[in-house]
Amino acid sequence: MYSSTLTYDATPRLCLCTSEPPVRVHRYGRGLTDGFSSPAGLHRRPWLARLRRALAEDLFAVHYQPIVSLADGRPAHYEALVRLADEGPAGGLIAPGLFLPAAERYGLVRDIDRLVLARVARLLGGRGRRSGAHEGGGAGGDGGVRVAVNMSALSVTDPAMLTHIERCLDAHGVNPRRLVVEITETAAISDMDRARSFCEGVAALGCAVALDDFGAGFGSFQYLKYLPFDYLKIDGDFIRGLPASPKDQLVVQALAGLARGMGKRTIAEYVTDRATLQLLRGYGVDYAQGFELGRPAAHIPVAV
C-alpha cells in the first residue's frame, strides 16, 4: 500500500501500522497515524539526516498484514508494511505517512524498498528452511506463505532493481513464487515503458505482480492493457464506505467482473466491517485486507 508514490488514504500499500491507513505511501502502509508515535516537533525534524541514520543503523521495522481469501477465510498472503522507530523518549513507531514523503523527496525511498525486500527475503528463507521444502502445500501453493512488498516509482524505473530482487531471493534460497511485487498507479504513470518492462521482468523471475490502489487515477484502465499483473488491488476509496454508497458498489462489482474476465484476482483494501465483507463476497472479489480481518503485526503466525 505504501510505495514511493503517495496516495492519500489507503491502507497503503509498499500503510500505516494501523492497517487501514488513509494515506498511502504505497509500499509501506497507509497513512493513518492511529497507534503511532507523534512526538512534538515531528514535522520540524531534519528528515534527511534522520532517514540516513535510520538506514545506517537499521531503525526501520517491518510489519505484516494478512490478505485473506474470501472463499475460506484463511490468509492467502501478507503485505509487508514499513514503520520507523521513534528515537524520542516515548519510543514507539512513526507512521509511514510522516516519513515516506521525505524519503521520496530526498531520493532515499529506493533504499527503504531494498531494506524491506531484504527483510522479507530473509523471513521467507528462514521459514522455508524450517519447513524443509519449497514445493507443495502452503498459503502460496509452494510450501510456504507469500509476502507482498511495495515498490516505489524510483525502484520501478531503476534498471538494477530486477537484478537486485533476483540476487536477494537467491541469497536466501527463496522460491520466487512466494514474493508478490506491488506497484501503484503513480509508479506506473511516471514511466509507462519502464513500468511495463519492470512488471515483465518480475513475472519472468517467477514472482507475482499486483497493481495497487487501482482506480485511484484516471489512467487506471490503460494499465490493465499494458502492464502484466496477477492481482488487482481495488483502491480503498471505493471500499471504506461501500455499504452506504451505491456508486462504490457499482464500481467494485464492475472491477471484480472485469478482473475475473481477464483471468486475474482481486483484492479489496480497507475492509473494516462485516457488511463490507458480505458485499465483496457477493461481487466475487477474491481477497480482502483490513482491520476487520487482521491488523499489521511484527510477525507472521508460525502456523501459516
Side-chain angles (χ1 to χ4, degrees):
M1 303 162 129
Y2 247 170
S3 231
S4 80
T5 13
L6 299 193
T7 326
Y8 288 81
D9 199 35
T11 220
R13 74 261 231 38
L14 256 83
C15 276
L16 254 231
C17 207
T18 66
S19 160
E20 229 95 269
V23 172
R24 264 206 204 218
V25 170
H26 208 160
R27 296 184 309 252
Y28 306 120
R30 264 80 205 221
L32 290 195
T33 56
D34 296 350
F36 288 87
S37 175
S38 299
L42 180 64
H43 297 287
R44 297 191 295 275
R45 288 184 174 184
W47 279 112
L48 178 57
R50 174 74 180 83
L51 291 170
R52 283 176 172 171
R53 184 167 62 255
L55 285 165
E57 300 178 10
D58 198 18
L59 299 179
F60 289 99
V62 177
H63 286 194
Y64 302 89
Q65 184 174 26
I67 294 174
V68 175
S69 168
L70 293 184
D72 60 17
R74 300 175 59 189
H77 60 278
Y78 289 76
E79 181 177 3
L81 306 172
V82 73
R83 291 91 170 77
L84 176 63
D86 180 15
E87 298 176 286
L93 296 173
I94 298 173
L98 297 176
F99 66 83
L100 284 180
E104 294 186 341
R105 183 164 62 251
Y106 296 123
L108 297 175
V109 72
R110 180 169 44 197
D111 296 315
I112 297 176
D113 285 350
R114 292 190 176 210
L115 179 149
V116 173
L117 176 64
R119 294 273 190 90
V120 168
R122 186 164 63 244
L123 170 73
L124 293 176
R127 293 175 70 96
R129 284 189 290 275
R130 287 195 297 273
S131 68
H134 282 301
E135 300 299 335
D142 57 5
V145 66
R146 271 185 167 179
V147 177
V149 298
N150 289 274
M151 287 287 144
S152 65
L154 280 180
S155 291
V156 169
T157 57
D158 180 1
M161 183 54 72
L162 285 173
T163 299
H164 180 76
I165 293 174
E166 183 176 23
R167 288 176 177 172
C168 203
L169 295 177
D170 287 345
H172 295 280
V174 178
N175 186 325
R177 291 177 60 193
R178 297 177 66 191
L179 182 70
V180 179
V181 176
E182 295 188 6
I183 70 168
T184 58
E185 187 172 315
T186 310
I189 200 172
S190 64
D191 190 323
M192 178 63 78
D193 290 335
R194 286 193 178 183
R196 181 176 184 176
S197 178
F198 177 79
C199 290
E200 290 173 343
V202 168
L205 289 176
C207 305
V209 176
L211 298 185
D212 196 15
D213 303 340
F214 189 81
F218 295 107
S220 295
F221 287 94
Q222 182 182 20
Y223 307 135
L224 296 183
K225 180 176 181 179
Y226 291 107
L227 299 180
F229 68 97
D230 303 280
Y231 299 97
L232 190 68
K233 297 193 76 171
I234 302 172
D235 187 69
D237 275 346
F238 299 111
I239 305 300
R240 281 187 313 250
L242 190 65
S245 173
K247 290 182 179 179
D248 287 342
Q249 292 171 20
L250 287 171
V251 170
V252 173
Q253 191 169 13
L255 290 177
L258 177 63
R260 187 163 53 249
M262 297 177 69
K264 310 300 182 182
R265 289 162 286 180
T266 46
I267 301 172
E269 303 180 295
Y270 293 109
V271 178
T272 59
D273 56 70
R274 292 184 180 277
T276 298
L277 272 179
Q278 186 174 6
L279 286 172
L280 294 173
R281 286 194 181 96
Y283 298 156
V285 172
D286 299 292
Y287 307 98
Q289 177 179 7
F291 282 177
E292 175 64 21
L293 299 158
R295 293 175 179 259
H299 304 285
I300 293 176
V302 176
V304 177

